[in-house]
Amino acid sequence: MIEREYAYYAGCSLEGTASSYDRSIRAILKDLGVVIKEPVDWSCCGSTPAHAMDHVLAGALAARNLAIVERMETATLTTPCPSCLSAFKKARAKILTDKSFKDEVNQLLDDPYEGTVKAKSTLQVIYEDVGLDAVVAKVTTILPDLKAACYYGCILSRPPRLAAFDDPENPVSMDRLLAACGIEVRDFAFKTECCGAAFGVPKREMVLRLTHKVLNMVQDCGANCVVVACPLCQQNLDLRQAQVNRAMGSSFSLPVLYFSQVLGLAFGYSPVELGLDKHIVSVDRLIRSRSPKGTEETASPAKSAARKNAARGAEETNRERERIASVVKET
């Protein structure tokens, strides 16, 4: 496998409440031969609140980090956080198409940003640049009891022209990565519904209602865990799950894992190495049955066949959805 190099922007969440995401991302990227370099003196990208106050300031907060990467002479910055990714992509797009905006932004910076560095989600790097074959080659462990609902959230693949990754209504990158690792992936209708994002404090009741809808659909589709790529989604679905149960009269007990943690388990890392012990809803009961790859046929031929059929079914469903989407676009 060709070794690839990226600037890696963890962002504020991954240094705090989502440190397990950062830990697991770094582990699997190393295994996959991806070299990452952290920008020196990086700062907050502005994420959710900055653009609500001042669009130029929001652009400058994101552009400052992109300018640092330009000086590193690295072509691509990757970040695991969809909110950070959106901030970087919006700033670059505006700077490349609006000279007056670019001039205003650069007046606020010590070093100007010229727009040469692009941003990619770390999920996209693994799915597109590294590829499924390289991921499969690193799998050492099977996880027979996981039945995953892949939840992408509302901004990872949106707006489509800006995100330029996956399908905005029916994304499949996490589904395919997990299926390639032998994980049973359930057909989940709420892949891109909003969980309430950063409104947990100012609009708590709204967030609890939205989160309840997502968790309810996870349960209805037959999944026993949620797999995410966003620290805000993970926080709302995991940390607030008990609050949802109290407010809505539900009894959810659904572990919420980052996709990188699932890949890490498949690569043979322990739950503690991946930070799974930091989550509120324990995943222990679902991963006790993990075992070395190659033992699934002798241990339980029926379960092995079921997992293969489920993965095949998920692929067929996704292909059919893509075919329908292409027909709709043509008409």
Side-chain angles (χ1 to χ4, degrees), residues 19-93:
S19 61
S20 59
Y21 194 12
D22 180 58
R23 186 189 304 182
S24 56
I25 282 288
R26 290 176 186 270
I28 64 171
L29 288 182
K30 183 177 180 180
D31 275 14
L32 292 169
V34 176
V35 176
I36 54 174
K37 294 184 177 180
E38 193 164 353
V40 176
D41 195 33
W42 65 266
S43 55
C44 177
C45 67
S47 187
T48 304
H51 68 269
M53 302 299 295
D54 187 312
H55 286 282
V56 174
L57 174 61
L61 287 169
R64 180 184 182 276
N65 295 288
L66 293 168
I68 293 173
V69 177
E70 276 188 335
R71 298 197 301 275
M72 293 168 61
E73 299 184 351
T74 302
T76 305
L77 175 150
T78 185
T79 179
C81 175
S83 292
C84 297
L85 179 71
S86 180
F88 292 136
K89 282 182 171 287
K90 284 188 289 188
R92 181 173 187 260

Side-chain angles (χ1 to χ4, degrees), residues 134-145:
V135 171
V136 171
K138 293 296 179 181
V139 174
T140 64
T141 303
I142 59 167
L143 301 158
D145 289 337

Side-chain angles (χ1 to χ4, degrees), residues 20-227:
S20 59
Y21 194 12
D22 180 58
R23 186 189 304 182
S24 56
I25 282 288
R26 290 176 186 270
I28 64 171
L29 288 182
K30 183 177 180 180
D31 275 14
L32 292 169
V34 176
V35 176
I36 54 174
K37 294 184 177 180
E38 193 164 353
V40 176
D41 195 33
W42 65 266
S43 55
C44 177
C45 67
S47 187
T48 304
H51 68 269
M53 302 299 295
D54 187 312
H55 286 282
V56 174
L57 174 61
L61 287 169
R64 180 184 182 276
N65 295 288
L66 293 168
I68 293 173
V69 177
E70 276 188 335
R71 298 197 301 275
M72 293 168 61
E73 299 184 351
T74 302
T76 305
L77 175 150
T78 185
T79 179
C81 175
S83 292
C84 297
L85 179 71
S86 180
F88 292 136
K89 282 182 171 287
K90 284 188 289 188
R92 181 173 187 260
K94 187 75 170 172
I95 283 169
L96 290 176
T97 57
D98 188 333
K99 187 179 184 303
S100 63
F101 180 80
K102 177 182 178 180
D103 291 342
E104 285 185 88
V105 165
N106 282 334
Q107 283 178 6
L108 298 175
L109 303 179
D110 292 332
D111 297 292
Y113 170 56
E114 300 301 332
T116 61
V117 170
K118 60 183 179 181
K120 267 188 175 183
S121 77
T122 309
L123 173 61
Q124 184 177 7
V125 166
I126 295 170
Y127 182 65
E128 291 184 347
D129 298 356
V130 176
L132 293 178
D133 290 342
V135 171
V136 171
K138 293 296 179 181
V139 174
T140 64
T141 303
I142 59 167
L143 301 158
D145 289 337
L146 281 188
K147 297 178 182 179
C150 293
Y151 178 60
Y152 295 76
C154 54
I155 64 170
L156 181 61
S157 58
R158 295 171 175 171
R161 288 186 180 179
L162 187 68
F165 171 55
D166 218 329
D167 188 285
E169 300 300 328
N170 179 41
V172 295
S173 50
M174 278 198 292
D175 297 62
R176 291 177 175 172
L177 280 170
L178 267 60
C181 294
I183 309 297
E184 181 177 341
V185 180
R186 307 297 293 183
D187 191 14
F188 182 49
F190 273 26
K191 286 182 176 182
T192 57
E193 294 296 312
C194 183
C195 67
F199 285 98
V201 174
K203 295 185 180 292
R204 180 180 172 187
E205 290 184 3
M206 179 193 76
V207 171
L208 295 181
R209 288 197 305 272
L210 291 173
T211 301
H212 177 266
K213 289 181 179 180
V214 174
L215 292 170
N216 194 54
M217 186 59 73
V218 170
Q219 192 166 266
D220 284 352
C221 79
N224 58 17
C225 65
V226 192
V227 179

